[in-house]
Amino acid sequence: MRPMNLPPLHRAAALGPLAALGLGGVAGCSSADSAPRTAEVRKSAPDVSPAPSGTASATSTSTSTSTSTSTSTSTDIGWVQLMTPMNQQAVKLLTLAAERAAEPRVRAFAVRLRTGHEAELNRLRPLLTRMGLPLTDVHAGHDMPGMVTEQDLEAAHAAEGPALDRLVLARIRDHLRQSAEVSRSEITAGGRADARELARALVTAREGFLAELERLPGAVRALG
């Protein structure tokens, strides 16, 4: 097992356009264990992402009444197969932060963002099903830009007080930035209307939460 030292606060450079993630969505991975794992199914998450504090709701409460019947492109497949595990891993770190962060505002932020990510998962998983894709994590064991890794979670469990807050802020900032970037690629190059609609909602939510995160206590020190 790797030592549980606090990881560096900045990830590798962001991924290129999502087109590079096509044909299974595994380009750009650093594979430690390529065996897929079954995606976790969380219960009772709401269908609407809550708005960042002081902003309007980021995710519309209404969805298209008709499901797109467009053929899924490699961009659509790469995006949904990446965004689903990215959210699942972020939820694990946010759950820890909601319980143990030293700063109350960081804990409250983690609760709101976790709720929003669970709501997004309630839309991403049905999209996988509509596209005929399995609810498996094709990126299991891969070190992807913006992905909260098992090593990150181990480090978070070992950290306490302000050190934990700094780790959470840095990792979640990377996650929000990268997931927004790949979602913008889906908006531009995706073929399915329902996938592009969800990608737009994700980008809006992430822009609001990023602005809020950067105002949190300790953010300047954590993010540099």
Side-chain angles (χ1 to χ4, degrees):
M1 179 179 292
R2 298 178 183 174
M4 295 193 296
N5 295 331
L6 190 68
L9 295 183
H10 295 286
R11 287 285 185 198
L15 290 172
L18 251 185
L21 293 175
L23 303 178
V26 295
C29 301
S30 173
S31 178
D33 177 6
S34 60
R37 65 188 175 203
T38 301
E40 296 178 9
V41 179
R42 297 182 65 91
K43 300 178 181 179
S44 303
D47 292 329
V48 180
S49 295
S53 178
T55 66
S57 176
T59 304
S60 173
T61 58
S62 62
T63 57
S64 175
T65 56
S66 60
T67 300
S68 170
T69 58
S70 302
T71 301
S72 301
T73 66
S74 60
T75 298
D76 298 322
I77 294 169
W79 176 74
V80 72
Q81 287 188 321
L82 178 60
M83 284 305 310
T84 304
M86 284 186 77
N87 268 27
Q88 288 170 175
Q89 289 297 105
V91 163
K92 295 177 184 178
L93 183 58
L94 292 167
T95 297
L96 182 64
E99 296 170 352
R100 294 185 46 222
E103 168 58 49
R105 286 176 58 188
V106 173
R107 292 198 301 271
F109 173 81
V111 169
R112 291 194 302 276
L113 184 55
R114 179 184 62 187
T115 300
H117 273 40
E118 289 172 335
E120 290 168 359
L121 285 168
N122 277 355
R123 298 180 67 183
L124 286 163
R125 291 183 180 122
L127 180 58
L128 281 166
T129 300
R130 291 196 299 274
M131 292 168 67
L133 300 170
L135 293 176
T136 53
D137 179 0
V138 300
H139 297 288
H142 303 160
D143 186 5
M144 304 288 293
M147 181 83 75
V148 174
T149 66
E150 294 304 317
Q151 185 179 9
D152 292 333
L153 294 172
E154 289 177 0
H157 278 288
E160 296 180 356
L164 173 61
D165 290 12
R166 289 193 298 272
L167 184 152
V168 168
L169 292 174
R171 291 295 172 266
I172 293 301
R173 192 270 301 268
D174 289 349
H175 162 73
L176 292 172
R177 283 183 168 179
Q178 183 61 26
S179 57
E181 179 175 336
V182 296
S183 294
R184 291 186 189 100
S185 294
E186 167 62 23
I187 294 167
T188 301
R192 292 181 61 102
D194 51 354
R196 294 196 308 271
E197 178 187 7
L198 179 52
R200 282 190 290 269
L202 266 62
V203 169
T204 299
R206 274 143 185 71
E207 288 173 346
F209 278 115
L210 272 168
E212 183 180 352
L213 182 150
E214 291 169 359
R215 298 192 299 268
L216 288 172
V220 172
R221 181 178 179 185
L223 307 178

